[in-house]
Amino acid sequence: MAVQKIAVLGSGTMGHGIAQAAIVAGFEVALFDISQAMLDKAGETVRGNIDKHFIAKGKVTEEQGRDILSCLKLNTDMQKAVSDADFVIEAVPESLDLKKKVFADLDRFCQPHAVFATNTSVMSVTAIAGATQRVDRCIGTHFFNPAAVMKLVEVVTPIGVSAATIDIAVAVLKKMGKTPVKVKDVPGFIVNRLLGLLYQECAQIVLEGTATAQEVDTAMRLGANHPMGPCELADFGGFDVIQMAQDATYEYTHRQRDRLNILYRKMIEAGRLGRKNGKGFYDYHEDGTKTAFTIFT
Ligand SMILES: NC(=O)c1ccc[n+]([C@@H]2O[C@H](COP(=O)([O-])OP(=O)(O)OC[C@H]3O[C@@H](n4cnc5c(N)ncnc54)[C@H](O)[C@@H]3O)[C@@H](O)[C@H]2O)c1
């Protein structure tokens, strides 16, 4: 099956980036959200990105840029958005109940051949697929933030998915300029499972006073050539998200080292969630600068 029409559900951080990558690749995209305000914001962001990163840089002409944008349709009516889609990518908030409900609705609204993909980071793709009568056509496509830019997409294969569905997902992602990597449906997949260890250990180093967050970050940037230090990366990901991911991983592995480091729980209790609220291992200021936060005085 050649995919032409894609529906993206949820127009937030991930949804609008996925939609952008899809229209740039030549797909017709219906972007659905329950919030008109979020859709408007997503439409504006995508328009701005096409202007700034494609037209202004001479990658496409102004006319080609308009043609690309004309492939994006914003919609607050889910049934309309998905009824003629060949491939649906769900990027609604990280709640198993919500995702199961969305997949059950999709099963009713979509054509029989349509493939459903979830962008979940933490939830069981197998459980989400189980809300439909088409388990063989459900899969995980785990994009990374910013979704329009980041090359990797983990293709998460739940129990019961068909080889044809995997092929379709891989073909769609390759056309979007992504590099798909297949992984079984186990919490953390590949990247977050490994990053989780880094997050755990950097928090432990800071907690026991071996080094400060700044020292850890400088060491890993200069010593391991990481573009961001682990504490900076933890701030970027968000401590609440790390908590959810780590709890799910621990529930699966029951290894002590996968248990969320107490420092993250304490930081969350103190209202520090990372960059998203300007307070993590660092304090983030309005002028774009950051300063080290003294965790223990
Ligand atoms: N943010 C990240 O770095 C990141 C990375 C990889 C995966 N993910 C996953 O992607 C998914 C979306 O995350 P996000 O960060 O884009 O969230 P977000 O909060 O930025 O956006 C979610 C959007 O979904 C909309 N929404 C809520 N209920 C809906 C419904 N029933 N139908 C359609 N839209 C609905 C909201 O209005 C909002 O616009 C989550 O599963 C998350 O775990 C996030």
Side-chain angles (χ1 to χ4, degrees):
M1 178 191 70
V3 171
Q4 286 181 329
K5 294 189 175 175
I6 293 182
V8 179
L9 311 182
S11 64
T13 309
M14 298 306 288
H16 85 264
I18 295 168
Q20 181 183 317
I23 55 168
V24 169
F27 291 109
E28 286 174 52
V29 176
L31 180 58
F32 162 72
D33 202 298
I34 50 170
S35 154
Q36 184 66 51
M38 288 303 285
L39 272 182
D40 291 343
K41 192 172 154 212
E44 250 171 61
T45 306
V46 173
R47 203 171 312 119
N49 286 344
I50 299 292
D51 280 345
K52 189 170 160 199
H53 301 301
F54 291 85
I55 299 174
K57 289 189 178 161
K59 289 183 186 166
V60 299
T61 63
E62 206 150 304
E63 198 189 340
Q64 285 167 328
R66 299 297 146 236
D67 285 349
I68 289 172
L69 284 168
S70 72
C71 292
L72 181 65
K73 301 278 185 291
L74 308 177
N75 214 322
T76 50
D77 181 330
M78 178 169 170
Q79 191 161 357
K80 265 196 198 146
V82 304
S83 60
D84 62 350
D86 304 306
F87 196 89
V88 181
I89 305 174
E90 166 278 306
V92 306
E94 193 73 319
S95 146
L96 185 58
D97 286 346
L98 176 60
K99 287 179 190 286
K100 281 164 85 169
K101 158 101 178 53
V102 166
F103 265 56
D105 288 345
L106 281 177
D107 209 16
R108 290 189 289 122
F109 297 154
C110 289
Q111 302 179 82
H113 74 267
V115 166
F116 305 160
T118 173
N119 189 47
T120 184
S121 308
V122 173
M123 302 299 159
S124 162
V125 178
T126 309
I128 298 167
T132 73
Q133 300 300 314
R134 58 176 92 189
V135 169
D136 59 319
R137 268 159 293 149
C138 293
I139 198 159
T141 50
H142 185 225
F143 288 76
F144 288 76
N145 186 19
V149 177
M150 295 290 278
K151 289 280 173 211
L152 177 69
V153 179
E154 289 174 320
V155 175
V156 185
T157 57
I159 289 178
V161 68
S162 71
T165 296
I166 298 172
D167 289 347
I168 290 167
V170 165
V172 165
L173 294 167
K174 282 189 173 164
K175 189 169 165 186
M176 285 167 77
K178 303 299 182 190
T179 302
V181 170
K182 256 192 335 165
V183 54
K184 291 196 178 65
D185 182 25
V186 159
F189 311 138
I190 299 171
V191 173
N192 285 342
R193 185 155 164 189
L194 288 170
L195 281 182
L197 297 175
L198 208 55
Y199 294 147
Q200 294 285 88
E201 211 53 32
C202 73
Q204 186 57 29
I205 289 172
V206 172
L207 185 68
E208 67 195 24
T210 299
T212 64
Q214 253 181 326
E215 287 163 340
V216 170
D217 285 339
T218 303
M220 289 303 280
R221 270 193 266 107
L222 302 184
N225 246 354
H226 286 196
M228 283 172 102
C231 301
E232 291 168 316
L233 199 60
D235 276 2
F236 185 70
F239 298 164
D240 51 339
V241 174
I242 290 174
Q243 177 176 30
M244 217 188 324
Q246 218 51 50
D247 288 351
T249 302
Y250 178 69
E251 197 185 317
Y252 170 68
T253 65
H254 278 277
R255 294 183 308 204
Q256 201 53 32
R257 69 173 191 223
D258 291 326
R259 254 196 130 129
L260 183 75
N261 190 286
I262 185 80
L263 183 57
Y264 291 116
R265 290 201 204 280
K266 290 287 158 201
M267 294 281 250
I268 292 168
E269 283 170 12
R272 304 190 74 86
L273 298 180
R275 269 182 100 136
K276 67 178 76 176
N277 73 348
K279 292 183 260 180
F281 284 109
Y282 297 87
D283 283 317
Y284 296 86
H285 309 293
E286 275 178 9
D287 62 4
T289 59
K290 69 175 193 287
T291 46
F293 167 64
T294 307
I295 299 173
F296 302 106
T297 39

